[in-house]
Amino acid sequence: MLPLEDETASVMKPVDYFAAHPVFRFEDFASVHREGADYKPATSVAALKQHVRAGHLLSVRRGLYVVVPRGQTPDAVVVDPCVLASHLAPDAVVAYHGALQFHGKAHSLSRRVPFLTCTRTKPFVFRGSEFVPVPVPPPLRVLPDLGGGIVEKVREGASVRVTTLERTLVDVLDAPRHGGGWEEIWRSLEAVEFFDVDAVTDYVFKLDSSVAVAKVGFYLEQHREELMVEDRHLDRLRDRAPSRPMYLERGVREPGKLLSRWNLVVPERVLNRSWAEVT
């Protein structure tokens, strides 16, 4: 039977790796575990299995582990959904409503956590939370860091890759089904005191979608005073608006008012923010 920790001084012991990585993927552990030693992948697998049996690790799904703090049990250990989502694929990025929740700006809490990835990853449910992989839009897949607007934060000792509020604004307007719907999106975004509007406009152009540009332009125009939006921002966006009328949501022909300056049909409830009248 393999020892729980390798006794070679030059090789990192598993418990030392666990101390620095509360949530980790097998391949990340194995690359460090084998460094400086002539280990095969099976050796790393065996070491992790022993720690799972000993109650030191919780195997969440194949290749994904959570460290169980001393004095706790695998069944009782609390796992932050955003931390978990950020490790569900090698390139996973917490996004859309998940990013709003991470940044503390979501109007309503949700157990649905969308994350961006270029890999073929299946949806996953763990302890009541639903983790939903969203394919990275094709124009962004070839760009550095998936188009930018991604930061790495630390939460409870674990790293989380998450979209910035600027990218999140564009993403939820572009794909509202991952933002919780228009009311949730508007109420959440309106809780943000400041956006770097230049970063917003630079990012939306990378999506290569005139409809996304129009939606961002409409939102910024509607909130131009609060967000200190300048004419130059709106002019840049108007130059790339659709050449013909388009609906606010792809595949949903909800009646509304045509805003000719954006060539966008906006439902009255969104245009007038009618939900704000409900107490």
Side-chain angles (χ1 to χ4, degrees):
M1 180 179 291
L2 291 170
L4 290 184
E5 291 92 27
D6 188 87
E7 297 178 355
T8 305
S10 62
V11 179
M12 175 177 278
K13 297 179 180 181
V15 291
D16 293 332
Y17 184 87
F18 302 161
H21 303 83
V23 179
F24 63 89
R25 295 174 57 81
F26 168 75
E27 56 262 38
D28 297 327
F29 166 77
S31 65
V32 174
H33 186 226
R34 297 200 303 268
E35 189 174 341
D38 188 20
Y39 286 163
K40 295 180 180 180
T43 305
S44 298
V45 171
L48 293 181
K49 284 184 176 180
Q50 288 190 40
H51 282 281
V52 170
R53 288 195 295 269
H56 304 153
L57 295 177
L58 170 64
S59 178
V60 176
R61 69 185 303 186
R62 184 174 182 179
L64 181 62
Y65 299 87
V66 171
V67 176
V68 180
R70 187 181 299 275
Q72 296 188 32
T73 64
D75 290 339
V77 65
V78 176
V79 185
D80 187 305
C82 287
V83 173
L84 198 57
S86 187
H87 291 78
L88 287 173
D91 61 347
V93 180
V94 178
Y96 301 97
H97 196 268
L100 290 171
Q101 291 197 163
F102 180 88
H103 292 297
K105 301 302 180 181
H107 176 68
S108 305
L109 295 181
S110 172
R111 288 187 171 274
R112 191 174 187 272
V113 186
F115 63 95
L116 288 164
T117 180
C118 290
T119 66
R120 300 186 67 178
T121 304
K122 294 181 179 179
F124 173 63
V125 176
F126 178 75
R127 293 185 178 173
S129 292
E130 180 187 5
F131 300 91
V132 182
V134 181
V136 175
L140 304 181
R141 295 176 191 175
V142 296
L143 299 180
D145 205 19
L146 304 181
I150 297 171
V151 292
E152 186 165 332
K153 300 285 187 177
V154 175
R155 177 177 281 185
E156 298 179 1
S159 65
V160 178
R161 276 169 52 83
V162 60
T163 56
T164 62
L165 285 169
E166 286 76 15
R167 175 165 178 163
T168 303
L169 180 151
V170 176
D171 286 345
V172 294
L173 292 176
D174 180 49
R177 65 189 180 282
H178 298 306
W182 294 121
E183 179 179 353
E184 177 67 17
I185 290 170
W186 248 246
R187 288 183 180 272
S188 298
L189 294 179
E190 287 174 345
V192 181
E193 297 83 6
F194 172 81
F195 286 104
D196 181 337
V197 182
D198 286 312
V200 170
T201 54
D202 288 344
Y203 170 69
V204 71
F205 292 149
K206 296 176 183 179
L207 287 175
D208 194 23
S209 167
S210 61
V211 181
V213 168
K215 288 193 278 190
V216 169
F218 161 60
Y219 183 86
L220 293 180
E221 184 176 61
Q222 191 182 60
H223 298 81
R224 68 179 300 167
E225 185 174 339
E226 307 96 294
L227 299 179
M228 296 178 289
V229 179
E230 300 175 14
D231 288 339
R232 64 183 180 87
H233 297 125
L234 299 177
D235 290 343
R236 287 184 68 200
L237 293 165
R238 268 194 291 265
D239 286 345
R240 302 202 192 182
S243 58
R244 60 186 178 86
M246 305 294 288
Y247 285 88
L248 189 63
E249 187 168 353
R250 188 180 300 112
V252 179
R253 292 175 172 254
E254 184 175 354
K257 181 178 180 179
L258 172 63
L259 303 183
S260 57
R261 58 192 174 280
W262 300 112
N263 252 339
L264 197 63
V265 178
V266 179
E268 293 287 347
R269 62 189 176 91
V270 178
L271 187 63
N272 299 322
R273 288 176 278 186
S274 57
W275 50 78
E277 301 170 3
V278 180
T279 59

